[in-house]
Amino acid sequence: MRSLKILLIEDNPTIARQLAEFLHAEGWQIDYAHRGRQGLQLALEQIFDLIILDLGLPDMDGLDVCEKIKAQAPVNMPILMLTARDALADKERGFGIGADDYLCKPFEPRELILRCRALARRHQLHTSEEIKVGDLQINQRQQTAYRDKQPLPLTTIGFRILTMLAQASPAPVSRSAIIHHIWGDEPPETDALKSHIYSLRQTLDKPFQAPMLKTITNLGYQLETPNARNQ
């Protein structure tokens, strides 16, 4: 399995440090939030392969965090809930608002690794390789894109940006989320994203009658169909 990017939301620093060590040992990249609101903000700004979410957070109930992530995040990200609550009613509510799996404390670290692998693999299998937005069609496996049945000659980065926007459409994606998705924790010093967006517009929009790529002031970018814009 490829390296996973995981968001860990856990208020106990000792537990968080231990979990991060086990996850890092698998070669996975870990972002950490010690409060619910902080974790929610990260989940709405970035794209993660998996979110590990503690249910008992001091500032915001983990179930509320889960519900807001599922409702507001630009793409669907699997959520593994960590909880000391083993009551069926709590699990029922969690699954009802979108939690993908539960792991009750205390647990063996190896079980956490196995569940992370299973969730990420399941999510990848359920993610369609074909994405359609209006007359735009993207094949993620073949890394090809067509608009109105015409091939789009995209760069590698342009294809990744377009795919990210298409997965989130019609929701906008923030500049920070795109930058982190493309360059990780080492973004270029210059405003390279602006240059890639310009090139993407030249390929995606210029040859066609109606544009699809929209700039959202003070936020980022949005991919929408011309019909949606006119409604």
Side-chain angles (χ1 to χ4, degrees):
M1 176 177 288
R2 64 179 176 82
S3 178
L4 299 179
K5 180 181 177 183
I6 297 176
L7 173 60
L8 172 61
I9 308 175
E10 166 64 65
D11 68 299
N12 186 307
T14 301
I15 294 177
R17 183 172 59 254
Q18 292 173 345
L19 294 180
E21 289 176 356
F22 285 115
L23 298 170
H24 275 302
E26 297 295 316
W28 298 340
Q29 177 185 342
I30 312 301
D31 281 8
Y32 169 64
H34 68 284
R35 291 290 186 270
R37 290 185 177 84
Q38 179 191 16
L40 174 60
Q41 182 178 356
L42 286 172
L44 299 183
E45 292 178 349
Q46 301 181 32
I47 306 298
F48 296 93
D49 296 301
L50 175 68
I51 297 174
I52 300 174
L53 173 61
D54 183 36
L55 196 64
L57 298 169
D59 65 326
M60 188 177 182
D61 189 272
L63 291 173
D64 293 332
V65 176
C66 176
E67 186 173 27
K68 289 182 181 299
I69 290 175
K70 289 294 186 178
Q72 300 176 22
V75 300
N76 181 33
M77 294 176 282
I79 296 179
L80 171 60
M81 302 287 289
L82 302 181
T83 178
R85 309 177 197 173
D86 58 359
L88 181 59
D90 287 322
K91 293 182 179 180
E92 185 175 16
R93 184 190 168 199
F95 283 123
I97 61 177
D100 297 273
D101 198 3
Y102 261 88
L103 188 56
C104 292
K105 300 177 181 179
F107 54 83
E108 291 293 332
R110 192 59 192 167
E111 183 177 1
L112 174 66
I113 299 298
L114 293 174
R115 286 179 182 264
C116 287
R117 289 183 179 278
L119 269 181
R121 186 178 297 110
R122 186 193 315 163
H123 182 68
Q124 291 169 9
L125 289 174
H126 289 175
T127 300
S128 174
E129 66 180 46
E130 292 281 348
I131 306 174
K132 293 183 179 180
V133 180
D135 60 0
L136 172 68
Q137 183 173 350
I138 299 173
N139 188 300
Q140 297 187 80
R141 177 175 296 180
Q142 298 177 4
Q143 295 195 356
T144 57
Y146 293 81
R147 183 171 179 192
D148 197 20
K149 300 182 180 180
Q150 298 184 37
L152 302 178
L154 297 166
T155 64
T156 299
I157 290 181
F159 180 83
R160 292 179 64 190
I161 294 173
L162 180 62
T163 300
M164 186 179 188
L165 293 172
Q167 289 174 332
S169 181
V173 181
S174 68
R175 282 177 51 86
S176 60
I178 298 174
I179 290 172
H180 196 279
H181 178 67
I182 300 299
W183 293 286
D185 294 325
E186 298 181 358
E189 295 182 0
T190 59
D191 192 358
L193 178 59
K194 183 176 181 180
S195 175
H196 285 291
I197 290 293
Y198 173 81
S199 298
L200 180 57
R201 276 202 171 98
Q202 297 302 302
T203 303
L204 176 66
D205 288 342
K206 189 174 181 180
F208 302 93
Q209 184 175 3
M212 295 185 69
L213 183 54
K214 179 181 179 182
T215 299
I216 308 297
T217 304
N218 297 325
L219 176 58
Y221 303 95
Q222 178 184 24
L223 199 64
E224 60 179 11
T225 63
N227 289 339
R229 183 182 288 111
N230 294 329
Q231 289 178 356

